Amino acid sequence: MTAPLNPSRRQFLVKLAGSGLVIGSAPASLAVVPALDSAAGLAQPFLHIAPDNTVTVLAKHLDMGQGIWTGLASIIAEELDADWAQVRVEGAPADKALYKNLTFGFQTTGGSTSIANSWQQHREAGASARAMLVAAAAAQWQVPAAEISVNSGVLSHASGRRATFGELAALAAAQALPAAVTLKDPSQFKLLGKPLRRVDAQDKSRGAPLFGIDQRLPGMQIALLQRAPLFGATVRRLDASSALAVAGVREVLILGPERKAVAVLADNTWAAMQGRRALKIEWDDSLAEKRSSAQLSAEFKALAASGAGAIECLKRGDAARAMATAAQVIEAEFEAPYLAHAAMEPLAALGTFKDGRCEIWGGIQNQSGDQAAAARILGLAIEQVQLHTLYAGGSFGRRATFSNDWIAELAQVLKATAGRYPVKLMWTREDDLTAGYYRPMNVHRIKAGLDAGGKLVALQQTLVAQSFLFKPGSPPRPDPTVFEGNLPARYEVADASVDWINPAVGVPVQMYRALGYNHTTFSKEVMMDELARAAGRDALAFRLAHLGSSPAHLRQATVLRIAATMAGWGRGKLPKGQALGLAVQEAYGSFVAQVALVRLLDDGRPQVDKVWCAVDCGFALNPDIVRAQMEGGIGFGINLALHGGITLAEGGHVEQSNFHDYPVLRLTEMPRSIEVHLVPSALPPTGVGEPGSVPIAAAVANAFARLTGKAVRGLPLG
């Protein structure tokens, strides 16, 4: 057995004074620990240079496969002038003051903000460490610092003196932190903007144990939970005798004061599964959600029609007045189902609880929230809970619940077992699909008015969807994660309104890749195609006609034109049975336009043969990773278009349980070709983890509508 990976390097950190701003953001506020052990080398909150010449970057964000750890490390390595081969990456400890996401104010990963919020911060961290190394060399060689050059991890002087980072690390640790640093001009970049090898590529290709599901400790017990079959049900009565009779099962526990689940602890996963199957549980479902998907759909549509309980999210001019005078009025209602995140690695975390301390290893996305939840449940101070962030085999938002559910469950098991042994909590695929959190089901009701010239002059939209942030009945306020990216927010419409209704439903919902954009983009871009047809205009020309001269509109128009040109939009007829579909969205500061070439299979389902994608994400740190994120996002979005849908049967039971009835995109369903164009930019980098997944479902739907001659009103297609 091996110990968990990624031990904390907290003892190596530069501590912050006062406000807790990280290195580079406000150097004057920092203070280096005065008695740093020389064996530790040069250490700062975001990097550690060891005497063996390795540069270890401490990544404050979770890498779920997007390449975040490679991106963060490359920013530091560039300003440090390190050799990429000497760079390593570890997950940073949970520490809100040191490692908060500057966008959100706490340590978490989400909203495609990891690179954007770290860009300046990490550049200054690398430049500060470089300056301290140069100061150390200048002191040792008795030469002016300005005469020392740094290249690929080696400092040199015209006199012939040379030293590696490792050789100077201990002396550099004693240098004063620079009050200010000069950052490179992008023309000087040697690593950034280049297709760097990913730091995780080799280990992942050989199956190294990098994930929470891989972790082991001596004496560890596996914990599987039997959660309620209905959302909101609780344990009324438990008979654990048959489960305890299974070989290898050690304990059976009702979990937490809420009594929402029963934990089975066993020597191995198989025994835990067999023990769980043998449980006899009587559930109290008096407060459970028992409506079916069909019933919820009918209720959502009735709410959208009546507007009861609507909250105003956007108001521009007088939409009702403009609608009354419109030459044409087009109405549409769009619906999308609950979706499971279904990441490749089911949730798993390993924890220990002893001597007044707790340690947890896993692919942790919301470090601040998870640390606080574990501390609260175990009765510990925040600093007594140590989180080790490992790679995650996907998330798409599932690991970032505001309830901190899976880490809270582990903490409850550790508390109930009094820390007698390490515990690895595991979710099976069935647990994930039947008892997890979901992308909210939603209904969009849109009414749009065109003038006699075919211009969009009025729009009214009512959106019904559960909120991630606010409970129904809480003080009425808009939830931007529900309505972001809506039609009048992206196109010029003189008179418009967008309202949102937060229905009271017991199904647990959670952020899903691209949050509101993954459904507002669909209704927005399908509606724009229908309006273009009503106006007798080409779909591309109609969109461009409703984009103004603001910087955001100009960037949106640019990616639209590029993607259309790549696809040959408007250049002659396609072969019979093929059609192009177009869609665009600005999300997380990035602009993505996609064109899909679609044909119909014999059974009438759409097959996406080719996709052209143009993306403006500011400066592209690593073009290969950006392209990979666009390609992966396109596959993710096509999956939403063709598959997906968690449904509730009569009585409230989830009908899907694994990939046999909740299919995900197969290799044969991927486009045979995806072309990605990166718009050159000197602007700071923006998000790429989510924007690539956003437009494609609408682009496919628009092509599908052309092929079938039928309006698309929901997903999945076909």
Side-chain angles (χ1 to χ4, degrees), residues 217-221 244 250-253 263 265 351-355 357 378 410-424:
L217 279 175
M220 176 184 78
Q221 294 288 292
L244 290 167
R250 301 303 174 192
E251 292 190 68
V252 176
L253 307 161
L265 291 109
T352 62
F353 177 39
K354 59 183 179 181
D355 302 327
R357 296 192 62 81
L378 294 171
L410 175 57
Q412 287 175 334
V413 175
L414 291 171
K415 181 179 181 179
T417 56
R420 289 188 295 275
Y421 36 69
V423 173
K424 180 159 71 171

Side-chain angles (χ1 to χ4, degrees), residues 141-223:
W141 299 340
Q142 294 298 295
V143 298
E147 295 180 4
I148 295 173
S149 61
V150 187
N151 186 42
S152 297
V154 177
L155 292 89
S156 58
H157 184 259
S159 63
R161 294 182 176 90
R162 290 168 54 87
T164 66
F165 285 178
E167 290 167 338
L168 290 168
L171 183 59
Q175 302 299 311
L177 195 72
V181 290
T182 300
L183 302 179
K184 288 183 179 180
D185 184 88
S187 63
Q188 300 174 297
F189 288 165
K190 300 173 184 176
L191 302 176
L192 297 180
K194 311 296 190 298
L196 280 181
R197 170 188 55 82
R198 284 179 55 143
V199 295
D200 55 344
Q202 186 175 41
D203 282 342
K204 286 183 176 178
S205 64
R206 65 184 178 86
L210 303 175
F211 304 95
I213 202 168
D214 300 321
Q215 304 307 301
R216 299 186 62 83
L217 279 175
M220 176 184 78
Q221 294 288 292
I222 300 294

